[in-house]
Amino acid sequence: MRLRSLHIENFGKLSGTEMTFDRPMTVILRENGWGKSTLAAFIRIMFYGFAGGAKRSGLDNERRRYRPWNAGGAYGGSLTFEIDGHLYRIERIFGSREKEDLFQVFDEVTGKPTDVFTDRIGEEIFRIDAESFARTVFTAQMDASTSSTSVIHARIGDKSQTGGDMERYGEVKARLKKEQDRLTPDRKTGAIARTRERIAELDGILRGRRSAEDALKKLSGEIAERKRRKNEIDLQQKELAEAASKMAESGDRALLFQRYDDLLGAEKRAAEETARLRKTFAGGIPENTALEAMIREAGTLSGVEMTSFAEHLNEAETEEFNRLIRLFHAGVPEETELEDLVEKSRRMEKMKHWVAEHRLTEDEEQRLAEGAAYFTAALPEEAEIRAAVGAWERLGKIRSEIESSEAARKALREELRRRSGSEQRAAEETDNRIRRILGILVFAAGCAAVFFLADAGAGLYAVGGGAAAALAGLLLIAFSFGGRKQPAEERESEEEFQELSDRVRAAKEDAAKLEKTVRDFFYHCGMAYAPDHVSDDLYEIRSRAQDYRELLKQYMAFRNSGYEEAIRDISAELMEYAQRHHMEIPDDGQWTETLVRMGKDAAEYRILSARNAGARKGREAIRERKARVEEYLRTLGIRPSEPYLDQLTDLRDRTRAYDRAEANFREARCAREVFETENEGIAQADRRAPEMRGGELGEKNARLEAEEERILAEKRSFESQAEALREELARLDDAEEERIAETEKLEKLTRRYAVVSKTAEYLEKAAERYSTRFLDPVSRSFRKYYRLLTGEDGDTFRIDSSLCVRVSECGALREEACFSAGIRDMIGLCSRMAMTDAMYPGEKPFLIFDDPFVNLDDGKQERARNFLDAVSAEYQVIILTCHG
């Protein structure tokens, strides 16, 4: 698998970018801010698409993060790769949402679209998901550390038939853990713990069920007996009524008095029973509502005791809790405050790395000071320097041209002098001038003669002589201009000489302007203009200006970053926080690990503290409940003894018996008062009257009526008690059904919890057995790359079944987080390569490194080059960096 080329239409700040990858190792060396990380992300996203689609933040949502800076043009590009000797091209155009994206794969040989791959092409080619890709093949900037995933495990061991199962290992493990947390009996919120608590409450409620059932059975028998007796009395009364009807007229007063005496006797007996029962209450008659409340309080007491026991800390937890109490004696740090400090600590570490990279060295500071002293007047811009250098170079060329032209002009002048002497030309010019003068005079005389002779009327011959004289003058003038003719070659030489003279004059003017430009440049820089050293001076100015400008830019960026002040502020804040909480201060200034550890201790402290408080609160609740029950019993003159529920139930039974007796007394008194009202004066009547007829009949009837009233009163009382018991038993039946349902539920939950726990245990063991099969080759591969990167054997490193790397130091295995950023990066790179080797024993994928050696010192940088050379012998390597 090899990358061949890419084209970025628009992606982040990159636009119209073309790149080919035709070497085993392609180094993309660009300055900071060019877009190297964006280029690396483009390659990853072309295979796997965007991450963080549901995130709101522009940094987390990659679709928003890499939206083109250039508003025009398509968002996306293409990427060409080779696999199994065949070339394919991916094209992706991204929209504002995933459903608007366009994806197509082309066969580069035929140029036609192919359906060999889908838009999940990354998973289809590399056979790992995006997360696993980012932990092995793709190393992002400042993210060299790595860890394994279930997909990596499955991919490494894909020769077995369990590879597909291992891909879902992480998901299944998380689901089992979630189910364990939901069911756990160890936390109050767990379903098992809640069910147990409810069962305990129901057990407290159901303790009085047997006594209630026995009492109801007894009452049912009493009621039946009273019904039978009532029927007997009704029959006897019917017989007496028949006899009484025959004796009605006799007006037997004895019967009336007997009836009155029966009423008095019933009232007396009821009063005595009420008084007897009242004496059993040493502290007074309890109020029913308060008594029922106390019975419920005693019933739920056992449930509270079980809950308190569940919250109780064991010996190990108590020891850990005491340690945390000593640790946080100055106060428990707030979770949000710690998270904020951890974030600040991590930010400070990044700022420290940045400061270490961008701070000027002593040599650079000295050069910066020298540059400031050198350019006291002004620091010329690069364009000004280029202009001065260009002017001086053009001036040199012009001067050379002037020298050449002057030499040519001088040679040409000598040549002209050689061809024609100056004295001969002067004599010829004098003769010609004389001829022209004579010719002019002869022509004038001839013209004058012709004019005067013609005017005087002279003859034809005389006028013709004057005309001949004028013609002779013209010929003489013409001859003076003819003279010696100049050769054509001589005329061309003179024209060339004139042209050279004009060119020299123009070049001297240009040279004067250029020299003024250079002189003005030196004046602007506050430096002397020395014509003999201009080239050297300009070179020095240019070199110094470039160096000074770069150092000044670095210095200003460093000063304006404010990182040193921020580091001091954060360090001061962390120091103040550590002192305030009596926290251990890290010697190496690496606060993050200390703060994270403190956060874990604080979380554990809160959990144990909450449990301890819950147990204490439960004990206090138990004491309070017991105290309330005991106080209540004491106010009633009862000595408290456990179980309180039995005492309170007995008290309720006696209270109800007293209520029934008091109701009977009120009923008997009311019957007597009604009888006295109906038979006015009967209480004071003389009973010594003679015996009436039918007295025996009346007495018997009175006894029957009294007996009937007593039986009916008892029956009503028993029925009232029975109804109350039935209502209580109905509530207890509901509670019993609920308890049965809760017990079945507890059994199911307990079985499910056991099954889930065992499943998680067996799953973990299976994963470990599965992983140990490839631990040895992964470890060997790790040590091979670590030896390349550091020159050391790497025998102190241990890789566990989860592919986590630990280092043996001072007799103990240390997490890689305990080491410096550079060491962590080297461990992460070697882990990535070891896992990649194991995943791809056949055809190798390409590897992308986005500045992975930024945290390595100079000595390890050289080893890193050897590392890359060795890796590129097997893999296609694409490394993006801003360092040479």
Side-chain angles (χ1 to χ4, degrees), residues 495-566:
E495 290 173 0
E496 183 180 355
F497 177 79
Q498 187 61 41
E499 183 181 348
L500 283 173
S501 298
D502 294 341
R503 190 187 306 165
V504 169
R505 183 172 59 255
K508 287 182 177 180
E509 291 175 357
D510 291 342
K513 293 178 182 179
L514 292 172
E515 188 171 14
K516 183 177 183 304
T517 299
V518 176
R519 188 183 294 109
D520 290 345
F521 172 77
F522 277 92
Y523 175 77
H524 174 68
C525 295
M527 302 176 186
Y529 171 67
D532 295 338
H533 304 93
V534 169
S535 295
D536 294 338
D537 291 345
L538 285 174
Y539 176 79
E540 183 176 6
I541 290 172
R542 186 173 196 171
S543 176
R544 286 195 177 217
Q546 184 177 4
D547 186 55
Y548 178 65
R549 193 177 291 107
E550 291 177 356
L551 291 174
L552 185 62
K553 179 181 178 182
Q554 183 178 350
Y555 171 75
M556 294 304 295
F558 181 81
R559 189 180 71 179
N560 294 334
S561 69
Y563 283 174
E564 286 193 313
E565 293 79 1

Side-chain angles (χ1 to χ4, degrees), residues 108-158:
E108 276 291 271
V109 176
T110 64
K112 296 180 179 180
T114 177
D115 57 359
V116 173
F117 303 106
T118 68
D119 60 353
R120 300 171 65 89
I121 184 170
E123 297 179 7
E124 293 164 355
I125 290 177
F126 299 101
R127 287 173 287 169
I128 53 177
D129 58 12
E131 179 186 4
S132 304
F133 181 79
R135 295 190 185 187
T136 52
V137 177
F138 182 89
T139 304
Q141 189 177 39
M142 301 296 288
D143 191 25
S145 297
T146 188
S147 60
S148 180
T149 66
S150 57
V151 175
I152 292 176
H153 275 72
R155 182 71 183 87
I156 290 176
D158 66 354

Side-chain angles (χ1 to χ4, degrees), residues 370-381:
E370 291 174 355
Y374 190 79
F375 296 107
T376 54
L379 174 63
E381 298 293 334

Side-chain angles (χ1 to χ4, degrees), residues 277-306:
L277 292 173
R278 183 185 294 111
K279 290 178 182 179
T280 63
F281 299 100
I285 310 300
E287 196 271 329
N288 287 332
T289 303
L291 178 59
E292 290 296 333
M294 282 300 142
I295 290 175
R296 288 194 297 272
E297 185 89 0
T300 57
L301 190 59
S302 60
V304 176
E305 289 175 340
M306 291 183 66

Side-chain angles (χ1 to χ4, degrees), residues 611-684:
R611 285 185 56 194
N612 187 58
R616 184 172 62 252
K617 184 177 179 182
R619 291 192 296 271
E620 292 174 356
I622 292 169
R623 285 196 296 272
E624 290 175 1
R625 289 174 185 267
K626 285 185 176 181
R628 285 196 294 271
V629 173
E630 291 175 354
E631 178 64 22
Y632 178 76
L633 290 172
R634 290 191 184 96
T635 59
L636 298 176
I638 301 173
R639 183 178 179 182
S641 64
E642 295 190 57
Y644 302 127
L645 186 62
D646 293 346
Q647 285 186 300
L648 292 168
T649 303
D650 177 67
L651 183 61
R652 181 176 63 183
D653 293 341
R654 289 190 288 116
T655 301
R656 288 175 176 175
Y658 172 77
D659 290 341
R660 290 193 298 271
E662 189 176 33
N664 291 338
F665 170 70
R666 288 194 300 269
E667 189 176 335
R669 184 177 60 186
C670 181
R672 189 260 306 168
E673 290 173 349
V674 169
F675 189 83
E676 287 178 346
T677 302
E678 292 175 350
N679 300 276
E680 185 176 358
I682 193 171
Q684 295 81 24

Side-chain angles (χ1 to χ4, degrees), residues 697-758:
L697 184 62
E699 181 181 353
K700 187 175 181 181
N701 188 63
R703 286 197 303 271
L704 288 174
E705 288 181 351
E707 181 69 13
E708 182 182 27
E709 288 295 328
R710 183 179 66 79
I711 290 173
L712 289 175
E714 290 178 353
K715 180 174 175 291
R716 286 194 296 271
S717 176
F718 290 150
E719 287 176 344
S720 176
Q721 295 178 52
E723 183 62 28
L725 286 173
R726 287 191 191 95
E727 292 178 357
E728 178 69 17
L729 285 173
R731 289 195 297 271
L732 292 175
D733 286 341
D734 293 340
E736 179 68 25
E737 290 179 3
E738 183 181 355
R739 190 191 185 285
I740 293 171
E742 289 294 317
T743 303
E744 293 176 353
K745 177 182 176 183
L746 178 61
E747 292 175 355
K748 290 179 181 178
L749 291 175
T750 304
R751 286 197 301 271
R752 181 169 179 79
Y753 182 72
V755 170
V756 170
S757 299
K758 280 296 183 183

